[in-house]
Amino acid sequence: MSPFTSIRAVVRDLAGKWIQYLVKERFDNLEHMSTVTNPTFIVHGMRDNLIPYKHSQELYGACKGPCELVLPKNMDHIEFDFFEDFTLPLMNFLSKIRFTARNSDT
């Protein structure tokens, strides 16, 4: 939920483009996303004022595997409807990729 493309990009969005160079890049998710081939589910609120949802859009565009991007209109960085914004879209995604839970006793 609410992923970021990189730490520097978050700092740039919050504090300005010059400040980003004072931060060491330790988590460049966008760089690594092109190697992701597993099913990936991304949820990011359109009202998030900490990490802009454009980060999720960029990650979604870079993902090489089956990927779903959900952008709930009324979700911010902290508050969201657990069923409408997360559970229902997740269940739909799992259905699309034909994920089934298996009982380990059988």
Side-chain angles (χ1 to χ4, degrees), residues 19-50:
I19 301 297
Q20 71 179 328
Y21 298 109
L22 299 176
V23 176
K24 181 178 179 180
E25 185 59 78
R26 298 182 329 191
F27 302 105
D28 192 343
N29 295 328
L30 187 57
E31 178 182 327
H32 298 292
M33 195 63 159
S34 64
T35 64
V36 174
T37 57
N38 293 332
T40 305
F41 180 71
I42 302 171
V43 178
H44 204 132
M46 294 183 78
R47 291 181 143 182
D48 192 328
N49 58 4
L50 183 61

Side-chain angles (χ1 to χ4, degrees), residues 6-20:
S6 71
I7 292 293
R8 278 192 173 164
V10 172
V11 171
R12 179 192 65 228
D13 291 340
L14 292 174
K17 69 178 188 176
W18 299 109
I19 301 297
Q20 71 179 328

Side-chain angles (χ1 to χ4, degrees), residues 48-106:
D48 192 328
N49 58 4
L50 183 61
I51 301 172
Y53 67 89
K54 70 179 181 181
H55 286 250
S56 288
Q57 291 174 315
E58 290 181 47
L59 292 168
Y60 172 75
C63 187
K64 300 300 182 201
C67 191
E68 180 93 12
L69 173 61
V70 179
L71 300 170
K73 293 178 188 173
N74 295 318
M75 179 179 167
D76 63 23
H77 194 75
I78 297 171
E79 295 185 24
F80 63 98
D81 183 304
F82 188 75
F83 182 74
E84 292 291 327
D85 296 340
F86 180 74
T87 306
L88 188 57
L90 177 60
M91 297 305 292
N92 289 332
F93 174 67
L94 294 175
S95 176
K96 282 182 190 177
I97 63 166
R98 296 192 164 114
F99 177 83
T100 58
R102 296 185 182 172
N103 185 342
S104 61
D105 295 334
T106 59

